[in-house]
Amino acid sequence: MLPLVGMSQNVWEKPETSQQETTKKKALFESKKAVDPKYLAGAVPVVDGKVTFTLDKDIPGKSAQEIYDIVLATLEKMTKEENQFKTSQVAVVNKQDHVIGARYKEWLVFQNTFLSLDRTIFNYTVIATCTDGHLNATISRISYAYEMDRGVNDGMETKAEEWITDEFALNKKKDNLSKYSGKFRRKTIDRKDNIFETLLEALK
């Protein structure tokens, strides 16, 4: 056999078969479409027929009054955030039992680019119950008003129970988000995580 003059001997390799190429492409496609499990089955709890997210956390070393004061200040601060409507407010408090009820109307943004702003009005209620060394907070009464400015027949108003639960926001295999309602589920879970993290951070 004649030597391959002028060519490096260490760059030669066996060509991949079409089957190997197909397998690689399939693996790449599946990795791209994989969804974080935190958005999948069971991520949106339904309690007594209502979507209800719950934070139930021990807060060692703090009294009910201390927790109440911090949570009240944090929820009031949330009403002043840039994405909030003027109607967002701490609606009711029970100072004796250390319970706070706040209602929020805000913009929940799906995408914000130079060419496109995709967002929905997001309504929800936070109820916080403070006891010695403990906080229980819920997010419920969730609803959306999407693209209502585009005309009477083009907009959509809906409740979380009819839109972001496993039944409506996941595919049949429960391994991916639905094309349309899935983005509402994802962003709602992200916002829920952000609110609960903000409360816990304030209580440190």
Side-chain angles (χ1 to χ4, degrees):
M1 180 176 180
L2 294 175
L4 299 174
V5 180
M7 291 190 175
S8 173
Q9 298 294 316
N10 61 2
V11 297
W12 296 93
E13 60 185 32
K14 187 176 180 179
E16 291 184 342
T17 66
S18 59
Q19 179 62 40
Q20 287 173 319
E21 291 178 354
T22 301
T23 301
K24 278 190 174 183
K25 289 178 181 178
K26 182 178 179 182
L28 179 61
F29 175 76
E30 290 178 346
S31 67
K32 285 183 177 180
K33 75 172 186 177
V35 176
D36 191 321
K38 81 171 191 173
Y39 301 115
L40 298 179
V44 177
V46 179
V47 180
D48 296 328
K50 300 294 182 182
V51 170
T52 304
F53 297 104
T54 301
L55 172 67
D56 199 54
K57 190 75 173 178
D58 288 332
I59 312 294
K62 284 187 170 57
S63 67
Q65 186 63 51
E66 289 174 318
I67 296 171
Y68 172 88
D69 290 341
I70 293 170
V71 171
L72 177 59
T74 303
L75 294 178
E76 287 181 334
K77 185 177 180 180
M78 277 177 52
T79 67
K80 306 296 193 299
E81 291 175 351
E82 185 178 357
N83 62 329
Q84 297 294 327
F85 284 71
K86 292 182 179 180
T87 53
S88 295
Q89 62 177 318
V90 174
V92 293
V93 297
N94 184 323
K95 295 180 180 179
Q96 182 176 345
D97 293 335
H98 304 106
V99 180
I100 306 163
R103 291 196 299 264
Y104 296 91
K105 180 179 180 180
E106 65 185 51
W107 287 114
L108 192 63
V109 179
F110 304 122
Q111 184 180 40
N112 187 3
T113 67
F114 178 74
L115 297 175
S116 173
L117 174 59
D118 186 18
R119 62 184 182 176
T120 185
I121 294 174
F122 179 46
N123 302 288
Y124 60 94
T125 296
V126 176
I127 303 294
T129 303
C130 312
T131 53
D132 290 337
H134 195 84
L135 169 65
N136 180 279
T138 62
I139 299 174
S140 60
R141 300 178 184 177
I142 299 169
S143 65
Y144 310 91
Y146 184 58
E147 295 188 336
M148 299 305 293
D149 57 342
R150 293 196 176 186
V152 177
N153 298 320
D154 294 330
M156 176 193 73
E157 289 185 278
T158 188
K159 296 179 180 179
E161 293 77 22
E162 302 165 353
W163 197 238
I164 67 165
T165 57
D166 289 2
E167 178 184 0
F168 296 101
L170 297 180
N171 63 1
K172 290 182 179 180
K173 293 182 178 180
K174 308 298 183 187
D175 63 354
N176 208 341
L177 297 171
S178 297
K179 183 177 180 180
Y180 196 53
S181 58
K183 67 181 181 180
F184 288 78
R185 180 181 174 105
R186 182 191 295 272
K187 286 298 183 179
T188 299
I189 291 172
D190 287 346
R191 180 57 173 149
K192 174 266 298 184
D193 288 344
N194 172 258
I195 292 168
F196 286 165
E197 287 168 7
T198 298
L199 290 172
L200 292 177
E201 186 66 28
L203 287 163
K204 284 185 177 179

